[in-house]
Amino acid sequence: MSTMKAVRFDEYGEIEVLRVDDVERPVPGAGQVLVKVAAASVNPGEMSIRTGILHAIWPANFPSGQGSDLAGTVAEVGAGVEGLTTGDEVYGFTDDRGSHAEYVLVEAGNLAIRPPEVPAEQAATLYVAGTTAYAELRAVGVEPGDTIVITAAAGGVGTFAVQLAVRAGATVVGLASERHHQWLRDVGAIPVTYGEGVAERIKAAVGDVDAFVDNFGGYTELALELGVDRDRINTIDRAAAAEHGVKAHGNAEAAEIKVVAELADLIKAGDLRVPIAATYPLAQVQDAFRELEKRHTRGKILLKP
């Protein structure tokens, strides 16, 4: 029986519960595609699922795999699959927590042909972070002439959100540490350092603020202090959203391959940059998550089988 390497964990816990196992290589059923993974993104949501924080929303079935984003090559196609064939270079996502592996089964409708102008490493970042940024900007209704503040502006989601907001014609304030300020300027944002006095620094930089996207958590009260209407505030902090009556839209509100493909088209056209902070082999999955949990990387972290 053919086997493959795949990330697994048997219980909720810290990074140490992660391991790489030899498991049976799956066979595609009707409407499915087996993809040989070239790159897969590492995301904070996977950390939250692994620790059990999101058990009430997305419970794990043990032994559990992990990973959603992916780019790779079609290895096999199941019955009824049209438009994809063995050898095609593809990108997309799985909803079955399996892309942190050498091979992954994917529903054919969750894949698209990867343009040669879009590197596999960048295509593998688009589903979770890219669609989250897309959804949160749509949630706050960013329009030309708006001024928007985006926290964690150099992080995995923030790097997408900043650029998409600039493309929408908004004046974008990016909260980030000083080592990321030049990158933010390069993509058209106004960098502001977070920390004590941040409200005054934002007001000095841009005056009034129309919309606020919090990709870090803990900034809802700052947004309200700046006078932003509640329906134009979006946060990753669901508890704060419930408490203050603001929005908490994310990946689930834009989890479609057409959105992922739209982002890939922007990369192809040279209108979207995807910084890759670090790349780890699959065997070093624990190290990849240690890097992620520092919360200081610019852009995305990848696993490559």
Side-chain angles (χ1 to χ4, degrees):
M1 184 68 68
S2 296
T3 62
M4 67 176 190
K5 302 286 188 183
V7 174
R8 293 286 186 268
F9 60 102
D10 288 330
E11 61 183 340
Y12 291 130
E14 300 304 321
I15 290 171
E16 290 71 24
V17 303
L18 294 175
R19 65 181 191 278
V20 177
D21 281 353
D22 288 311
V23 302
E24 182 179 335
R25 195 173 90 178
V27 176
Q32 294 181 321
V33 176
L34 183 68
V35 177
K36 180 176 172 47
V37 178
S41 183
V42 169
N43 296 290
E46 288 140 14
M47 175 182 67
S48 297
I49 290 171
R50 185 198 73 233
T51 57
I53 293 173
L54 296 179
H55 176 78
I57 305 171
W58 295 307
N61 294 315
F62 300 117
S64 178
Q66 66 174 15
S68 300
D69 306 77
L70 63 102
T73 306
V74 173
E76 298 179 47
V77 295
V81 173
E82 298 180 355
L84 294 172
T85 189
T86 302
D88 284 346
E89 297 293 325
V90 293
Y91 65 101
F93 62 93
T94 174
D95 290 323
D96 296 324
R97 300 180 190 167
S99 67
H100 293 175
E102 291 180 319
Y103 291 85
V104 60
L105 274 184
V106 184
E107 297 299 316
N110 293 343
L111 292 172
I113 299 292
R114 179 173 62 82
E117 299 88 350
V118 181
E121 291 81 1
Q122 296 186 27
T125 71
L126 298 178
Y127 174 59
V128 174
T131 64
T132 297
Y134 188 101
E136 61 192 17
L137 292 180
R138 187 169 59 186
V140 300
V142 174
E143 297 179 350
D146 280 344
T147 297
I148 182 171
V149 175
I150 298 174
T151 73
V157 175
T159 52
F160 284 100
V162 164
Q163 293 176 83
L164 294 176
V166 169
R167 280 187 53 78
T171 296
V172 180
V173 174
L175 296 194
S177 60
E178 290 187 7
R179 64 195 181 104
H180 299 306
H181 282 193
Q182 188 56 54
W183 187 89
L184 289 167
R185 294 188 189 99
D186 290 345
V187 297
I190 299 169
V192 171
T193 304
Y194 56 81
E196 185 177 353
V198 65
E200 288 70 26
R201 290 192 292 276
I202 291 170
K203 292 173 183 177
V206 294
D208 294 337
V209 175
D210 302 297
F212 199 106
V213 167
D214 179 16
N215 288 312
F216 191 85
Y219 282 93
T220 300
E221 292 183 0
L222 171 62
L224 294 170
E225 179 186 342
L226 292 170
V228 182
D229 291 341
R230 282 176 167 78
D231 65 352
R232 302 203 70 189
I233 300 170
N234 198 84
T235 178
I236 65 167
D237 186 340
R238 293 177 181 272
E243 178 183 353
H244 296 287
V246 304
K247 295 178 179 178
H249 290 206
N251 164 259
E253 282 73 29
E256 302 176 77
I257 192 62
K258 67 179 183 180
V259 175
V260 180
E262 183 179 332
L263 296 170
D265 285 342
L266 292 177
I267 296 173
K268 179 180 176 180
D271 294 329
L272 178 64
R273 305 184 196 179
V274 183
I276 305 299
T279 300
Y280 292 86
L282 193 65
Q284 294 180 19
V285 60
Q286 291 189 7
D287 292 333
F289 276 91
R290 289 188 184 97
E291 181 69 22
L292 178 71
E293 291 187 12
K294 294 177 182 178
R295 303 189 78 174
H296 290 299
T297 54
R298 181 188 307 160
K300 295 297 297 174
I301 297 171
L302 297 177
L303 289 173
K304 298 185 77 172

